[in-house]
Amino acid sequence: MDRKDLKPTFLKGDKDALAPGLSRRSFFMAAGAAGVGAGASLLGAKPAQAQSQAWLQPGNNNHVIDLQGSTGQASTGVVGVDYYGHCAIKITSPSGATVLFDPWRDDPSGAWGLWFKNEFPQIPVDITMSTHAHFDHDAIERPNSTMVLDRMAGNFEFADLKIAGFADKHACVAPGWYDWTNALAEFGVEACPPNNVGHMDMVVYLVETGGIRTLIWGDNRHNPPQEFWDSIGEVDILTLPVDGSEHILSFDQGNDIVAKLKPKIIIPTHYLNEATSYTLTTLQAADEWVKGQQSYKILDSASLQLEAGDVKGMNQEFMYFGSNVLTG
């Protein structure tokens, strides 16, 4: 090729600030031949950075490879339930497969203030899932996760885990003293269906492993349609976002959901936790709701070890993690 054809390009009448004797055309030819990084180094520019941080995570997928061959096989044994504060729950199957729900972060826009005292821990996990696209549920980039299933509706099966996602809607009328749902109208969008803004969509997850069925309620509304209830079936463990300020669900709404589903165990979530969250959340502890129940247990750690045979013998037992959280 004749070098005379490689003429510099001009933008807005100014000559490109390329290296002497190097036109834009010859720069991209060099980049294509030697790699973009080599071409960029000719200009002294920084290499492009990926938006996601997943490519920087330590570890690899060896654990998932080991487990995937057992997909579809039922299991018996201990099911682990670990609490990382707010609505973040990790379930560990008897085979050792792990799934984490709703890791939290502060609102990146700053509009909702400072909620959390630290960043979510970068724990290793096989699967990370989010119920909806609110900042206190969607820090899916923080865990060192092999798989991310964000707002998944439908069915997923891996190792001895079966997960079903049921699409529904976020609670859209604040039952407590703080009318946070009114803020959406100030932004010119609707909170309630059928014309709700997209971030008020929800997915409720039903996880089955080790003979135990756990329903992750997220921030779902208290009054989904009948077909939702019909689809859920039997529930052994139910997580519910009820706190003293009644931010998402009121005490009565939470009690009504319990009465409909009749779970063996109820785990409160989405409450003020001195180890995790600030009072700027406007949340309060869940002690009042829990202590008003017929049967409850204040746990002394952030972890539960459960077996199906023991769970089946329980009857609406409230298990409250309180201020106990795992931090790594």
Side-chain angles (χ1 to χ4, degrees):
M1 181 180 291
D2 189 346
R3 181 131 178 13
K4 294 179 182 179
D5 292 337
L6 306 180
K7 296 179 181 179
T9 348
F10 290 81
L11 297 175
K12 297 181 181 179
D14 298 326
K15 192 173 182 178
D16 283 355
L18 298 174
L22 182 65
S23 70
R24 181 174 298 278
R25 182 175 174 187
S26 58
F27 163 72
F28 282 112
M29 288 178 65
V36 174
S41 68
L42 294 172
L43 303 181
K46 294 181 178 179
Q49 294 183 356
Q51 295 299 311
S52 169
Q53 293 300 300
W55 69 294
L56 294 174
Q57 290 179 354
N60 52 43
N61 69 347
N62 289 351
H63 189 242
V64 165
I65 291 173
D66 290 341
L67 288 171
Q68 67 184 349
S70 64
T71 297
Q73 299 177 15
S75 63
T76 58
V78 173
V79 175
V81 179
D82 295 321
Y83 186 54
Y84 288 85
H86 203 58
C87 291
I89 296 278
K90 184 180 78 173
I91 294 175
T92 303
S93 77
S95 75
T98 54
V99 54
L100 173 73
F101 298 92
D102 286 359
W104 39 259
R105 60 175 176 157
D106 280 322
D107 170 26
S109 76
W112 294 93
L114 191 64
W115 276 41
F116 299 105
K117 297 181 178 182
N118 301 290
E119 288 191 293
F120 193 84
Q122 292 181 294
I123 59 171
V125 67
D126 297 320
I127 308 164
T128 295
M129 306 187 77
S130 174
T131 58
H132 62 291
H134 284 172
F135 65 89
D136 54 326
H137 298 260
D138 74 342
I140 54 177
E141 79 286 350
R142 284 295 298 174
N144 294 327
S145 183
T146 303
M147 291 176 274
V148 175
L149 303 176
D150 189 10
R151 293 167 280 162
M152 182 206 80
N155 297 299
F156 175 80
E157 193 170 353
F158 170 72
D160 54 346
L161 288 166
K162 291 182 179 179
I163 304 172
F166 301 92
D168 200 55
K169 300 293 182 179
H170 195 288
C172 67
V173 177
W177 67 269
Y178 179 49
D179 292 329
W180 62 271
T181 48
N182 290 352
L184 275 72
E186 295 175 359
F187 289 113
V189 298
E190 294 185 42
C192 292
N195 299 316
N196 61 282
V197 67
H199 66 75
M200 295 295 283
D201 290 336
M202 268 287 314
V203 178
V204 174
Y205 294 118
L206 182 66
V207 186
E208 185 172 359
T209 189
I212 296 175
R213 292 163 59 89
T214 301
L215 192 67
I216 305 294
W217 191 264
D219 288 359
N220 207 49
R221 57 185 172 177
H222 71 285
N223 57 349
Q226 185 58 44
E227 53 264 29
F228 174 90
W229 301 107
D230 294 341
S231 299
I232 296 300
E234 180 182 347
V235 173
D236 295 311
I237 302 173
L238 172 66
T239 71
L240 275 183
V242 181
D243 76 298
S245 75
E246 300 180 303
H247 188 92
I248 300 295
L249 298 174
S250 69
F251 292 0
D252 287 342
Q253 289 170 346
N255 292 338
D256 286 346
I257 293 169
V258 170
K260 282 187 174 71
L261 293 174
K262 297 179 173 56
K264 307 298 184 183
I265 296 171
I266 301 94
I267 297 176
T269 59
H270 208 293
Y271 58 84
L272 182 68
N273 183 307
E274 63 185 24
T276 306
S277 47
Y278 288 113
T279 54
L280 290 172
T281 61
T282 74
L283 301 173
Q284 296 177 11
D287 298 60
E288 183 182 352
W289 183 55
V290 170
K291 292 178 180 179
Q293 305 299 326
Q294 195 167 35
S295 181
Y296 67 87
K297 183 177 182 180
I298 308 298
L299 302 173
D300 57 7
S301 76
S303 298
L304 285 169
Q305 301 288 306
L306 302 168
E307 292 195 54
D310 297 329
V311 172
K312 299 300 182 185
M314 297 181 183
N315 181 26
Q316 297 181 24
E317 179 82 20
F318 281 70
M319 294 191 175
Y320 181 37
F321 286 111
S323 60
N324 298 301
V325 297
L326 293 175
T327 57

